[in-house]
């Protein structure tokens, strides 16, 4: 057993000592990133709980934007949480409220009151039931991780079994969880570890946490600082900063990983919201222990108005674009070549292809916190229940950004391939029953 090396004595010996390691970002960088998040808040868009959470974690000065975001989040919670939100979204709402020192059990807005923790418990129960029966959750293990974390931090029940299932998934050889998912699972498991008295559950969590953290450290060493890709770094750093006791026998030199983050110019507000907390040594685990300041900076009310996109330069580039489906119904594959202004995002390519030949290249998007997500091409729609989606690739390699962010090069060949995301297998009821 791996856990033998981590006897209680070792843990106790380490508890008092080492200071939090992690990134020590300059105040200037932090302010710049805070500013970008604040500027992204628009009255006509959905309020993003991840942004409120990040602003609170870095203790950004309260101002109108902040206050407005909190109010809109309460309004969305009372009107939509029960019916229209996935478990993971409710979890993010709970985390954002906790970080604002608001009680998620009594959310009041628009003359209504809701117990958001209870809603989260119900939705988590549904995820867990699916996971136990089918080996896959209703949504994703990433969301189940957020659920367990939020329930644990809110001091509610239901997170132990979810964390145990996450640990099993982490340790299953055929689950292949992404860095992002393992990172959030690690945060949830760390919270659970600190709040449970069940010895065998602790043992399981310790083993899974040992696996995740050492896996991240191996990857950092192998890849010169990178853990996953630049957009998973924020969550990976949050996990490594708050799980030190689980890789206690190993030294984490965070310099390389932090430099990796410093060298990237994060523009997407959602990406900033995940990467900012670890830059000041915080993680989502701190969401419930913040000292909320009551003082508001005397800023005037901002306009919160939508901004216009910047115009590209006048040179055109040529992009080849292929759409392929071999998965469902009649297979098809079509290729076209379009001209777009240099510096255009991929969405512009899809639009140009659609204008040229709408019968073939028609498509639909849905607005998300990461930008526009392509949900249908050529009349073939992604389906949550069947776990299908349109994947974007270049030269056979999946893109690390979406169509609203990625900027193709001249002559590049972009593919959209209708495919499925993994059915995480390998879960069994064995060893789980005791926490149900
Ligand atoms: C699960 C997941 C998916 C699932 C979502 C399935 C589902 N039904 O939940 C699937 C497999 C479909 C997916 C697809 C893609 N994803 Co994804 N995804 C994630 C992950 C791991 C968790 C998201 C989540 O559940 N959040 C919690 C829920 C509660 O919040 P939510 O707002 O409801 O989440 C929604 C959005 O996140 C959206 N979504 C998921 N991925 C992406 C990517 C883009 C570009 C957009 C616009 C929306 C989007 O789907 C979620 C469910 O509706 C994140 C990791 C992270 N760090 O956040 C990566 C992540 C968001 N995805 C990423 C990428 C790159 C993609 C793809 C572009 C990959 C590709 N090469 O095709 C595609 C999208 C293509 C398209 N059609 O437009 C990147 C985005 C980076 C960036 N700069 O934009 C991330 C950060 C992973 C990473 N580290 O690289 N993804
Ligand atoms: C973090 O950086 C600041 C200045 O940039 C420095 O004063 C401080 O000592 C550093 N802290 C740690 C823990 O490295
Ligand atoms: C909010 O306060 C920050 C300082 O924390 C400031 O930089 C920002 O411009 C303010 N935003 C608005 C909209 O007033
Ligand atoms: C973590 O567990 C997976 C699945 O069993 C395994 O493939 C991997 O090697 C383990 N990693 C570490 C660092 O222990
Ligand atoms: C940490 O890594 C950096 C960059 O790789 C290196 O310069 C530094 O000496 C290392 N620090 C320690 C304490 O090993
Ligand atoms: C909040 O304040 C208390 C008492 O002043 C302090 O002990 C604690 O560390 C603070 N927490 C944070 C996250 O700053
Ligand atoms: C496209 O998706 C199909 C169905 O999932 C898969 O078999 C194929 O390998 C994918 N092609 C690429 C280039 O990823």
């Amino acid at each position: 057993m791996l856990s033998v090396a981590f006897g209680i004595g070792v843990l106790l010996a380490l508890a008092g000592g080492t200071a939090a390691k992690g990134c020590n970002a300059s105040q200037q960088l932090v302010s710049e990133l805070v500013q970008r998040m604040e500027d992204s808040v628009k009255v006509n868009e959905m309020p993003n709980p991840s942004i409120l959470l990040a602003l609170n974690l870095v203790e950004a000065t309260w101002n109108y934007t902040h206050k407005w975001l909190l109010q809109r989040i309460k309004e969305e919670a009372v009107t939509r949480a029960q019916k229209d939100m996935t478990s993971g979204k409710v979890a993010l709402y709970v985390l954002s409220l906790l970080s604002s020192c608001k009680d998620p059990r009594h959310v009041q807005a628009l003359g209504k009151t809701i117990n958001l923790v209870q809603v989260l418990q119900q939705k988590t129960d549904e995820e867990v039931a699916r996971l136990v029966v089918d080996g896959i959750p209703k949504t994703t293990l990433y969301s189940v991780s957020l659920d367990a974390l939020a329930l644990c931090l809110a001091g509610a029940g239901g997170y132990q079994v979810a964390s145990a299932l996450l640990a099993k998934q982490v340790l299953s050889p055929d689950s292949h969880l992404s860095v992002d998912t393992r990172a959030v699972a690690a945060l949830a498991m760390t919270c659970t570890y600190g709040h449970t008295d069940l010895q065998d559950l602790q043992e399981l969590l310790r083993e899974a946490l040992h696996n995740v953290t050492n896996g991240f450290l191996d990857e950092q060493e192998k890849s010169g600082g990178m853990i996953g890709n630049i957009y998973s770094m924020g969550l990976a750093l949050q996990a490594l900063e708050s799980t030190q006791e689980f890789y206690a026998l190993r030294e984490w030199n965070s310099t390389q990983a932090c430099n990796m983050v410093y060298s990237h110019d994060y523009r997407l507000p959602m990406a900033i919201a995940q990467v900012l907390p670890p830059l000041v040594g915080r993680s989502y685990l701190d969401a419930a222990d913040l000292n909320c300041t009551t003082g508001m900076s005397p800023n005037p009310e901002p306009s919160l108005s939508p901004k216009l996109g910047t115009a590209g330069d006048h040179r055109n580039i040529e992009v080849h674009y292929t759409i392929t489906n071999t998965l469902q119904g009649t297979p098809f594959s079509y290729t076209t070549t379009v001209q777009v202004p240099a510096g255009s995002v991929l969405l512009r390519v899809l639009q140009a292809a659609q204008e040229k030949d709408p019968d073939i290249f028609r498509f639909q998007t849905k607005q998300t916190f990461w930008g526009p997500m392509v949900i249908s091409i050529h009349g073939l729609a992604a389906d949550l229940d069947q776990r299908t989606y349109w994947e974007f690739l270049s030269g056979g390699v999946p893109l690390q950004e979406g169509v609203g962010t990625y900027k193709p090069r001249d002559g590049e060949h972009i593919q959209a391939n209708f495919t499925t995301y993994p059915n995480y297998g390998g879960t069994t009821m064995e060893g789980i029953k005791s926490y149900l």
Side-chain angles (χ1 to χ4, degrees):
M1 274 263 81
L2 289 164
S3 44
V4 173
F6 295 86
I8 297 296
V10 178
L11 292 178
L12 289 180
L14 283 156
T18 46
K21 292 178 228 168
C23 299
N24 185 12
S26 69
Q27 188 52 49
Q28 195 198 332
L29 176 62
V30 173
S31 308
E32 175 67 38
L33 294 176
V34 164
Q35 187 74 56
R36 283 180 195 175
M37 282 199 301
E38 284 177 341
D39 289 351
S40 76
V41 177
K42 308 276 157 57
V43 271
N44 53 346
E45 288 174 11
M46 277 291 175
N48 185 342
S50 301
I51 294 207
L52 183 59
L53 175 58
L55 287 171
N56 286 332
L57 284 169
V58 304
E59 295 175 283
T61 317
W62 265 82
N63 59 25
Y64 187 77
T65 306
H66 216 132
K67 194 182 164 194
W68 181 86
L69 205 46
L70 176 58
Q71 181 56 30
R72 284 285 294 121
I73 279 170
K74 289 182 183 172
E75 291 173 7
E76 285 296 312
V78 296
T79 51
R80 294 186 51 244
Q82 184 82 59
K83 273 192 174 164
D84 303 331
M85 287 189 201
T86 57
S87 69
K89 198 150 263 173
V90 176
L92 287 169
Y93 270 67
V94 167
L95 292 173
S96 73
L97 289 166
L98 286 173
S99 72
S100 307
C101 304
K102 295 285 175 276
D103 184 357
R105 286 178 178 79
H106 301 280
V107 185
Q108 279 182 303
L110 307 170
K112 297 179 198 159
T113 306
I114 194 172
N115 181 342
L116 211 52
V117 173
Q118 202 184 340
V119 174
L120 180 57
Q121 278 176 313
Q122 283 164 9
K123 290 184 190 264
T124 306
D125 287 348
E126 290 173 32
E127 299 273 11
V128 164
R130 260 299 277 286
L131 196 46
V132 167
V133 174
D134 298 343
I136 49 167
K138 198 175 168 199
T139 61
T140 60
L141 290 173
Y142 183 95
S143 285
V144 176
S145 302
L146 288 173
D147 300 346
L149 176 62
L151 286 175
C152 179
L153 290 178
Y159 60 88
Q160 293 191 344
V161 64
S163 291
L165 287 162
L166 289 168
K168 290 273 176 182
Q169 293 284 342
V170 161
L171 294 168
S172 159
D174 27 51
S175 58
H176 307 294
L177 307 186
S178 68
V179 166
D180 308 72
T181 300
R182 278 182 288 153
V184 183
L187 295 174
M189 292 188 295
T190 302
C191 183
T192 306
Y193 185 84
H195 285 83
T196 186
D197 298 323
L198 299 170
Q199 288 271 313
D200 51 349
L201 178 56
Q202 281 202 336
E203 189 102 334
L204 174 65
L205 295 173
R206 203 185 302 143
E207 193 180 337
L209 281 160
H210 181 271
N211 179 287
V212 172
T213 53
N214 280 284
F216 283 1
L217 293 181
D218 290 346
E219 190 161 339
Q220 183 191 315
E221 274 167 26
K222 200 181 66 200
S223 318
M226 192 70 94
I227 306 164
N229 64 30
I230 199 70
Y231 297 107
S232 49
M233 284 302 283
L235 297 172
L237 286 172
Q238 287 195 39
L240 283 174
E241 279 179 6
S242 46
T243 55
Q244 287 159 45
E245 67 184 86
F246 303 101
Y247 55 90
L249 300 179
R250 204 163 156 182
E251 191 68 35
W252 177 36
N253 181 351
S254 57
T255 314
Q256 265 188 326
C258 296
N259 286 343
M260 198 57 91
V261 167
Y262 297 150
S263 67
H264 188 80
D265 184 26
Y266 291 92
R267 294 273 162 184
L268 265 178
M270 188 59 202
I272 296 173
Q274 294 183 347
V275 86
L276 195 48
L279 293 188
V280 300
R282 290 269 169 83
S283 81
Y284 289 176
L285 274 175
D286 302 310
D289 306 311
L290 297 171
N291 294 322
C292 297
T293 43
T294 45
M296 271 248 285
S297 69
N299 285 316
E301 293 198 3
S303 58
L304 293 175
S305 58
K307 274 190 189 159
L308 296 172
T310 48
D313 69 42
H314 298 294
R315 200 169 48 90
N316 272 350
I317 59 166
E318 202 174 70
V319 179
H320 312 288
Y321 172 51
T322 300
I323 58 172
T324 307
N325 159 47
T326 54
L327 194 67
Q328 195 174 299
T330 316
F332 60 80
S333 186
Y334 301 99
T335 300
T336 187
T337 298
V338 297
Q339 316 270 331
V340 293
S344 298
V345 295
L346 181 52
L347 185 62
R348 190 71 200 76
V349 170
L350 269 65
Q351 285 164 345
Q354 177 171 253
E355 276 157 32
K356 211 172 139 185
D357 196 344
D359 278 348
I360 294 186
F361 293 103
R362 66 187 186 276
F363 72 100
Q364 290 178 326
T365 59
K366 177 182 97 175
Q367 194 55 37
T368 76
F369 294 137
W370 285 98
M373 184 170 199
V374 176
I375 52 165
S376 171
I377 300 178
H378 194 70
L380 182 58
D383 185 328
L384 211 105
D385 287 329
Q386 296 181 29
R387 311 178 83 74
T388 52
Y389 76 110
W390 280 98
E391 180 177 41
F392 285 85
L393 308 100
S394 172
V397 180
L399 301 184
Q400 296 182 5
E401 294 172 334
V403 296
T405 308
Y406 187 78
K407 293 178 178 161
R409 301 179 310 274
D410 191 21
E412 188 164 345
H413 187 175
I414 299 288
Q415 290 165 272
N417 189 35
F418 193 67
T419 189
T420 50
Y421 44 99
N423 278 5
Y424 308 106
T427 309
T428 62
M429 283 292 288
E430 192 195 332
I432 298 294
K433 286 199 183 91
S434 53
Y435 324 118
L436 282 171

